[in-house]
Amino acid sequence: MERRILKTLEFDKIISMLMEKTTSELGRELAAELVPFTNIEEVRHAQKATEEASTVLRLKGSVPMGGIRNIRGPIERARLNSMLAPAELLDIANTIRSGRRLKNFLTDMSEEQDIFILRGLVDRIEGMRELEDEIRRCIDESGEVMDSASVELRQVRQEIRSLESRIREKLDQMTRSSSTQKMLMENIVTIRGDRFVIPVKQEYRSHFGGIVHDQSASGATLFIEPEVIVTMNNKLRESRLQEEREVEKILYTLTVQVADHLELLKENLEVLAELDFIFAKAHLAESMKAISPKLNDHGYLLLKKGRHPLIDRNVVVPLDVELGKSYTGIVVTGPNTGGKTVSIKTIGLLSLMAMAGLHIPAQEESEMTVFSSVFADIGDEQSIEQSLSTFSSHLTNIIRILGQLDERSLVLFDELGAGTDPTEGAALAMSILDYVLSKGSKLVATTHYSELKAYAYDTPEVINASVEFDVQSLRPTYRLLVGVPGRSNAFAIASRLGLDAEIIAQARRSVSQEENQVEKMIASLESNKKTAEKEREEAEQLRKQAEELRGQLEEERRQFAETKNQLLEKAEDEARIAVQLAREEAETIIRELRQMKKEGVDFKEHRLIDAKQRLGNAVLELEKEIVKKPAKAVRATQIKVGDEVMVDSFGQKGTVLEKVSNSEFLVQLGIIKMKVKKDDMHLVKETNTSKQPVQYTTIKRDRSHVKMDLDLRGYNVEDGIQEIDRYLDEAVLAGFHNVSIIHGHGTGVLRKGVHEFLKSHRSVKSYRLGGQGEGGVGATIVTLK
């Protein structure tokens, strides 16, 4: 991609905005080097990385990117065994910590979101905690080597502080002495060349002895190191030299450790630079309210509400344009200052941004393609140095473009053919357009020439477009109208500005009838375009309302079904509780009867069984269905147009509009018209306002004719088995869970035959001999499935 083209389309300004979003010099370097990719896989990877970073920002608000330093120079010097300064070592420690913190942050984030690319990057970051801890143990946040760095350093610094204290104390005594105060210019202790001195008046120089280190500009004051502290200052100087040697020793040791981690540090730097760059792209997208476009590599471009990113989004007019499917070229015509140049610059710049992995300011449905190259001839690029005219300059640029384009190129021409004779310029422009289209390139061109409107109309691959102009306000609206050629509006503008009507009329008569008809046709097209656009927006609004209503209906239907099921379950639970209470009451009565028998009341066993059976029948009455379900409303034998009906599948009332067939009607449901089967609706109100009564059906299981036991005494085995088979079927239909088969004691043959039959019966879950109070071995208790 030519750098000149990037500058022409103002891609360099986008790069400047991107650089401002970085947090480190490393990220700024990558941002400055960004150019569009021409391979779709590279573009997809870059767009996906930006999308992942945008997701992180949206969910977390910020990312811990601080503390990253450009330590390439220091680590390279460490490789050469050149001792690093404390500040450089501190930058290395801060960068290590920043990398580890960022790694932990994104690793935790990857557990919640799919950030595959970012996770892959941070996995390459090495913690190097030991190196960081060692640097921080020796160097404080201000970049000074600490006393704790070594025992020797602590000792020598203690000695230095002790000597400084003793020297200051000695000099303070001298400055406070009444005998020496008159000899001093000021009663202070100061330092010259790392030596403690006092300011002495010139005439008392010999009184103090020692060494003169400095004097004032006038020469009246001498800064003297008194003889009594020379030895102490010498000792202090030796201690400071020892301190310097110890500090150098510590710094050199740390430098060697940095050199041992050279490759890991370089890898960390590379990853941190890439992450800073990616998150800068996400921050830029956030500031532009940009989206990640769909991508393709077959030359199809669809921009919906695309905005030029360098124009205030509160002012810029969004652009809707499609290219590469029904047509591969667009010719934009119309007057100057109408926004034609902004339109083609928007198309070119957003294409470059998408190819560079940057999100674009447009709506979600936008789709961008990956071009092999983008060419642009925009604006007055006249070269004064080469003494080229405007036409020559443009033509030279166009010749260079025509020599490089291919079927995957995007070509942008602004004011094609301008700067020369209109007739020749228009002919040349059409020839250039033919050549570009013959190469298969995608094309957007602006022009003043009316001949190109006809060219676009006659060429199947090309479509006319214009930028809307408001004649009333004499201002362009900057809306691109694809499919409508532009018109000059010269007469309308002149009239609005107050030019004499007779002059305008004379001018109109000078224009050919054909041209006037074309202007009228274009005006009609513009009007129709506006009307169609308005109707499309209204239709879209109605479609959204219909979808919302459908969603509401589905939700109401779901809630109704859920409520119905809850009520049924509640009723069944209440019935089960009632049955259980009845059974418990029955068992209580049986226990009381048996207790009465034990106490001497004369009761026969079979009378106890009969009592239990009567109680069981009472329980069965409680088990009858207690929920009355409404039968389906009576359907009208003849539904007519105008009847109010209930659509069962939606649970929504509607009005019959039309009979489609004998089994299907067109029904108005709110704002929705839909075809409904006759079987899926019932009549609510006829046109004569007569109402159909709602019928209810009570479903009951009649158990009154089925007893809880079957008495087989006196039957042979064969007849007894037939009776059992019939009885068990009735008991199952009656809903019994347990029944009793009385076969008596006898010889046991009938009991054995009964048990053999029960083993294989389809309705029998289990069986057992009766217990006390159940007939004992003379009866068999059967549990049904």
Side-chain angles (χ1 to χ4, degrees):
M1 202 74 65
E2 295 182 10
R3 288 283 179 181
R4 188 182 59 81
I5 299 297
L6 300 181
K7 186 175 182 180
T8 298
L9 293 173
E10 300 179 291
F11 185 74
D12 57 324
K13 295 181 180 179
I14 300 297
I15 294 299
S16 297
M17 295 171 64
L18 179 63
M19 292 172 66
E20 292 176 1
K21 300 296 182 181
T22 60
T23 61
S24 70
E25 183 182 342
L26 301 170
R28 279 191 291 276
E29 289 176 358
L30 288 182
E33 296 168 358
L34 178 64
V35 293
F37 302 102
T38 57
N39 181 281
I40 190 168
E41 295 306 321
E42 291 179 309
V43 176
R44 283 175 175 158
H45 184 275
Q47 284 285 351
K48 178 63 175 173
T50 308
E51 184 178 352
E52 290 182 3
S54 296
T55 299
V56 174
L57 289 181
R58 176 172 51 82
L59 296 177
K60 296 298 183 180
S62 61
V63 180
M65 295 294 300
I68 302 173
R69 302 287 184 268
N70 185 359
I71 57 173
R72 291 195 183 105
I75 62 177
E76 183 61 24
R77 287 176 46 232
R79 186 180 69 83
L80 299 174
N81 289 326
S82 176
M83 186 183 72
L84 300 181
E88 293 173 323
L89 290 165
L90 187 61
D91 283 346
I92 292 173
N94 286 335
T95 302
I96 292 173
R97 180 176 62 183
S98 297
R100 187 174 59 253
R101 185 173 56 193
L102 186 58
K103 179 175 183 176
N104 293 337
F105 175 83
L106 291 178
T107 299
D108 292 342
M109 187 70 188
S110 67
E111 302 296 330
E112 307 170 13
Q113 293 291 324
D114 179 17
I115 49 173
F116 179 78
I117 295 175
L118 298 181
R119 178 60 189 269
L121 284 171
V122 296
D123 282 346
R124 292 163 52 191
I125 295 177
E126 293 293 335
M128 292 179 280
R129 188 62 177 264
E130 292 181 1
L131 176 59
E132 181 198 349
D133 289 345
E134 184 63 18
I135 294 174
R136 294 191 183 281
R137 186 186 68 81
C138 298
I139 302 174
D140 62 20
E141 289 299 326
S142 62
E144 297 293 333
V145 178
M146 295 186 291
D147 295 355
S148 58
S150 72
V151 175
E152 293 79 4
L153 183 60
R154 181 184 296 110
Q155 290 174 348
V156 71
R157 283 183 172 173
Q158 288 175 350
E159 183 178 349
I160 289 172
R161 285 190 287 269
S162 176
L163 284 169
E164 288 177 342
S165 178
R166 287 161 52 196
I167 292 171
R168 282 186 175 277
E169 184 179 351
K170 188 70 174 176
L171 292 175
D172 284 343
Q173 290 175 359
M174 296 176 67
T175 58
R176 288 195 300 267
S177 172
S178 58
S179 61
T180 59
Q181 282 185 356
K182 63 180 181 180
M183 303 177 190
L184 301 177
M185 189 64 69
E186 291 182 88
N187 297 330
I188 62 171
V189 177
T190 184
I191 297 175
R192 289 293 188 273
D194 293 335
R195 311 284 287 194
F196 285 90
V197 297
I198 54 176
V200 180
K201 295 177 181 178
Q202 174 68 36
E203 58 267 29
Y204 297 107
R205 157 75 182 83
S206 59
H207 178 79
F208 290 93
I211 304 169
V212 177
H213 287 280
D214 198 2
Q215 68 177 3
S216 65
S218 64
T221 303
L222 300 177
F223 294 92
I224 296 175
E225 178 185 356
E227 189 174 358
V228 293
I229 66 165
V230 169
T231 302
M232 297 172 68
N233 263 336
N234 288 340
K235 178 60 176 173
L236 179 60
R237 176 61 178 163
E238 291 175 4
S239 297
R240 283 175 173 163
L241 290 174
Q242 186 179 351
E243 178 195 19
E244 289 179 8
R245 288 193 296 271
E246 188 59 32
V247 168
E248 289 177 357
K249 178 181 176 183
I250 293 167
L251 295 178
Y252 185 75
T253 301
L254 293 175
T255 299
V256 171
Q257 293 184 38
V258 170
D260 291 339
H261 294 80
L262 189 66
E263 295 304 321
L264 295 179
L265 288 169
K266 286 183 177 180
E267 180 75 2
N268 278 17
L269 274 185
E270 182 180 334
V271 172
L272 291 174
E274 184 71 18
L275 288 171
D276 186 19
F277 167 64
I278 290 173
F279 278 102
K281 293 195 295 180
H283 279 294
L284 182 64
E286 185 180 48
S287 67
M288 290 182 177
K289 305 297 182 187
I291 57 96
S292 178
K294 298 176 184 177
L295 294 170
N296 68 76
D297 61 349
H298 48 267
Y300 175 64
L301 181 147
L302 174 64
L303 268 179
K304 289 196 173 183
K305 304 300 180 186
R307 308 185 307 273
H308 196 291
L310 300 177
I311 303 177
D312 187 345
R313 64 172 173 266
N314 296 320
V315 176
V316 66
V317 177
L319 177 74
D320 290 306
V321 66
E322 184 177 7
L323 184 66
K325 188 170 284 187
S326 300
Y327 44 85
T328 58
I330 301 175
V331 173
V332 186
T333 52
N336 283 333
T337 70
K340 300 192 303 296
T341 301
V342 172
S343 296
I344 63 172
K345 276 192 171 183
T346 301
I347 295 170
L349 181 55
L350 296 190
S351 295
L352 294 176
M353 288 176 63
M355 292 163 60
L358 300 173
H359 287 182
I360 61 171
Q363 283 189 349
E364 289 289 345
E365 300 83 1
S366 296
E367 185 170 352
M368 305 300 288
T369 188
V370 178
F371 295 107
S372 61
S373 53
V374 177
F375 299 104
D377 179 63
I378 297 174
D380 186 2
E381 300 179 1
Q382 178 174 252
S383 173
I384 297 177
E385 293 181 0
Q386 298 177 13
S387 299
L388 295 176
S389 68
T390 299
F391 176 74
S392 299
S393 175
H394 281 293
L395 192 57
T396 300
N397 192 26
I398 290 171
I399 292 171
R400 183 172 62 252
I401 291 173
L402 298 181
Q404 300 178 58
L405 57 81
D406 58 29
E407 70 279 358
R408 292 182 58 234
S409 298
L410 171 64
V411 183
L412 307 172
F413 289 136
D414 187 30
E415 299 300 345
L416 183 61
T420 187
D421 176 76
T423 304
E424 294 181 354
L428 186 60
M430 287 187 283
S431 296
I432 291 172
L433 294 180
D434 280 337
Y435 182 83
V436 173
L437 293 172
S438 70
K439 291 291 185 178
S441 302
K442 307 304 176 291
L443 166 73
V444 183
T446 70
T447 182
H448 277 104
Y449 297 137
S450 298
E451 291 87 344
L452 290 184
K453 299 176 188 177
Y455 169 84
Y457 182 80
D458 293 334
T459 307
E461 312 97 278
V462 183
I463 191 169
N464 271 303
S466 61
V467 180
E468 188 179 50
F469 189 88
D470 188 348
V471 178
Q472 298 301 317
S473 63
L474 300 183
R475 293 179 180 274
T477 67
Y478 300 104
R479 290 183 64 242
L480 185 67
L481 303 177
V482 178
V484 179
R487 53 192 180 122
S488 66
N489 297 301
F491 296 151
I493 293 172
S495 177
R496 289 284 297 169
L497 292 176
L499 187 62
D500 187 272
E502 182 58 35
I503 297 175
I504 296 174
Q506 177 62 33
R508 287 187 185 280
R509 288 192 292 270
S510 300
V511 178
S512 66
Q513 184 177 357
E514 291 79 5
E515 290 181 354
N516 278 324
Q517 289 176 346
V518 169
E519 287 294 314
K520 290 180 181 178
M521 178 194 70
I522 293 174
S524 176
L525 284 174
E526 285 185 1
S527 176
N528 292 338
K529 179 80 173 180
K530 290 179 182 178
T531 302
E533 184 68 19
K534 182 178 179 181
E535 291 178 351
R536 188 194 67 78
E537 291 177 356
E538 291 175 352
E540 179 66 16
Q541 187 66 24
L542 288 174
R543 184 188 65 80
K544 290 181 180 178
Q545 291 176 358
E547 288 180 353
E548 290 176 1
L549 179 59
R550 182 182 179 88
Q552 291 174 2
L553 291 174
E554 289 291 342
E555 179 62 19
E556 289 175 2
R557 182 182 180 188
R558 185 193 64 79
Q559 291 178 356
F560 172 77
E562 187 175 312
T563 302
K564 181 182 72 174
N565 292 334
Q566 289 175 352
L567 291 174
L568 288 175
E569 289 175 2
K570 182 179 179 181
E572 290 174 359
D573 289 342
E574 291 174 351
R576 280 194 293 270
I577 292 172
V579 169
Q580 183 64 30
L581 291 175
R583 285 175 175 167
E584 291 176 358
E585 180 67 20
E587 293 295 336
T588 300
I589 294 172
I590 295 295
R591 283 196 299 272
E592 290 176 355
L593 290 173
R594 287 180 178 146
Q595 185 64 31
M596 292 170 64
K597 181 178 180 181
K598 288 180 181 179
E599 292 175 356
V601 180
D602 187 18
F603 280 100
K604 298 295 184 179
E605 184 69 25
H606 72 277
R607 293 182 62 190
L608 289 174
I609 295 173
D610 289 342
K612 184 173 182 179
Q613 180 175 341
R614 289 196 302 274
L615 290 171
N617 290 336
V619 168
L620 291 177
E621 288 300 319
L622 289 172
E623 290 181 325
K624 294 178 181 180
E625 294 291 340
I626 64 172
V627 180
K628 293 183 178 181
K629 300 181 181 178
K632 232 177 187 180
V634 175
R635 301 188 180 278
T637 55
Q638 185 67 37
I639 294 178
K640 304 182 296 298
V641 173
D643 288 348
E644 184 177 346
V645 296
M646 173 67 74
V647 179
D648 298 332
S649 58
F650 284 96
Q652 178 76 13
K653 290 181 180 180
T655 302
V656 177
L657 299 178
E658 180 185 343
K659 182 177 181 181
V660 179
S661 65
N662 290 333
S663 61
E664 194 172 42
F665 292 84
L666 182 65
V667 179
Q668 178 84 43
L669 294 174
I671 65 170
I672 299 177
K673 296 179 182 178
M674 60 186 304
K675 293 180 181 178
V676 181
K677 297 289 186 183
K678 183 177 181 180
D679 294 339
D680 191 28
M681 61 183 175
H682 61 267
L683 189 64
V684 175
K685 184 188 292 183
E686 293 188 28
T687 52
N688 62 4
T689 70
S690 62
K691 296 184 178 179
Q692 292 290 345
V694 180
Q695 296 182 348
Y696 294 90
T697 302
T698 301
I699 302 174
K700 295 184 178 180
R701 289 180 288 186
D702 186 8
R703 304 176 179 176
S704 59
H705 69 286
V706 183
K707 295 182 178 181
M708 291 288 291
D709 60 8
L710 173 65
D711 193 348
L712 296 178
R713 285 174 293 185
Y715 281 77
N716 59 32
V717 175
E718 184 177 349
D719 293 337
I721 287 175
Q722 291 179 357
E723 285 295 313
I724 292 172
D725 190 36
R726 176 191 58 76
Y727 172 74
L728 291 180
D729 289 341
E730 292 177 350
V732 169
L733 291 174
F736 292 167
H737 298 292
N738 293 289
V739 295
S740 176
I741 299 177
I742 303 171
H743 42 67
H745 297 274
T747 60
V749 175
L750 181 58
R751 179 178 69 242
K752 184 177 180 181
V754 169
H755 288 184
E756 287 294 328
F757 178 71
L758 294 176
K759 283 182 182 179
S760 58
H761 196 278
R762 60 189 175 277
S763 301
V764 175
K765 183 177 182 181
S766 62
Y767 63 90
R768 60 177 174 81
L769 289 173
Q772 186 176 0
E774 295 177 328
V777 295
T780 295
I781 309 302
V782 181
T783 300
L784 302 176
K785 294 182 180 178

